[in-house]
Amino acid sequence: MLLGTILRSGSSDHLVASYGKAAMKTMLVTGGCGFIGSHFIREIVAAARWRVVNLDKLTYAGNLENVKGIAEGEGYRFVRGDICDRTLIEALYSHERPATVVNFAAESHVDRSILDSTPFLETNTLGMQVLLEGARKHNVERFVQLSTDEVYGDLDRLSPSDEEHPLAPSSPYAASKAAADLLALAYCRTYGLPVVIVRSCNNYGPFQFPEKLIPLMIRNILVGKDLPIYGDGMQQREWIYVDDNVDAIAQVIERGRVGEIYNVSTEDEQTNRDVVRLLCDLMADEVGVDVKSLHDRVRFVIDRPGHDRRYAMKAAKIRTQLGWEPRVSLDMGLRRSIRWYFDNQPWLDNVTSGAYRQYYDAVYARAGA
Ligand code: NAD
Ligand code: TYD
């Protein structure tokens, strides 16, 4: 049925699209209804230099509310579908003729990959192969893969990783993303597919699904639940406000060198304990809750299996080659995020109705929380 819809747009709709295409090339964005993808799509549609086709399966993490307000029309089209669906992907490549593909589509959460790695291998690795194969056949001019610092594995007691650092993924999520990176580089070398890889540190900001640390803590504070920190909470992560990552991705699309990998990081390492402490302080300040009662709700729970102690990346390459710099401090980004979640509690209620409860129970029962 979906395929039928795409083929039918070969009639009058397609003419309109083709007319627009003379001026604007098409960018196929996958996973554009997720957290980072939706921020990216908003920016790229607003800039009006690309015609954007957003392909998203709308899993639990994908939400049309995240792209609400972006009008479908000549400059933007939404297609619901799976990157693993070869027939659909072939139809999209041949009818939309994207010059650039940006692949955000993924199963993106480590804890879920520990519960069941199957969808991670399917989407993150097999789906990647389907997209790459189509890109090769249809002579895509640029293929940008969204990767992660997690492919380098645990950096405990090592110096921060540059882009040459060996891959040593620890979780099924990280392994499925590392496999995708290797496939992308293999397609670049073997077939000359113009691939560029962006590896970013932990993102946070509005529209992030409340399974990741920061939105989960904000929601738990808002709904009066405890704040579960895994293990001793001394694990270290680098945090980037989502707009800064979107800016980096846009620069890589424009000027990144083919076959290259770009780390995107603030190079500001924070322990989970410190991030949660800061979040409690800022939350108290922003929404007027008692700070002591928030700190009292922190619980140290059983650790995540295989938990990496530390991620740390060098971002010198993107800074020097492309002139990218992060602009939003952790304090400012957390304040913006807190305000957004506070003002958008119906969004939170909506995404945490239904299956969220079973997910929460499965992870936090394991953690003894
Ligand atoms: P997300 O989980 O919020 O969104 C993923 C999106 O992909 C959702 O809209 C979902 O519906 C869609 N999707 C999932 N499976 C699909 C499939 N088979 N076909 C089509 N669409 C599918 O993820 P995010 O946090 O926005 O991350 C985007 C990308 O950035 C991912 O590739 C992730 O690995 C990477 N990344 C994320 C972070 C982070 O901190 N969030 C850090 C580094 C890298
Ligand atoms: P997360 O946001 O899941 O991202 P990632 O695993 O990709 O780094 O987790 C960030 C850090 O916070 C990680 O060290 C695990 C930890 N964490 C907790 O301590 N408690 C939680 O409830 C969650 C979700 C994460």
Side-chain angles (χ1 to χ4, degrees), residues 17 29 69 77 83 102 119 145 159 174 180 184-185 201 207 210-211 243 314-315 330 337-338 350 357:
V29 178
R77 177 179 177 209
I83 61 166
V102 189
Q145 168 64 359
S159 50
L185 295 172
C201 62
F207 296 108
E211 61 190 354
D243 288 352
K314 290 181 186 147
L330 184 61
S337 309
I338 289 166
N350 184 27
R357 175 96 189 264

Side-chain angles (χ1 to χ4, degrees), residues 109 150 202 211-213 228 230 237 272 304 307 364:
H109 190 39
E150 305 200 22
N202 286 51
E211 61 190 354
K212 309 275 168 48
L213 180 74
Y230 298 157
R237 298 289 184 267
N272 293 340
R304 171 191 276 173
H307 198 174
Y364 294 94

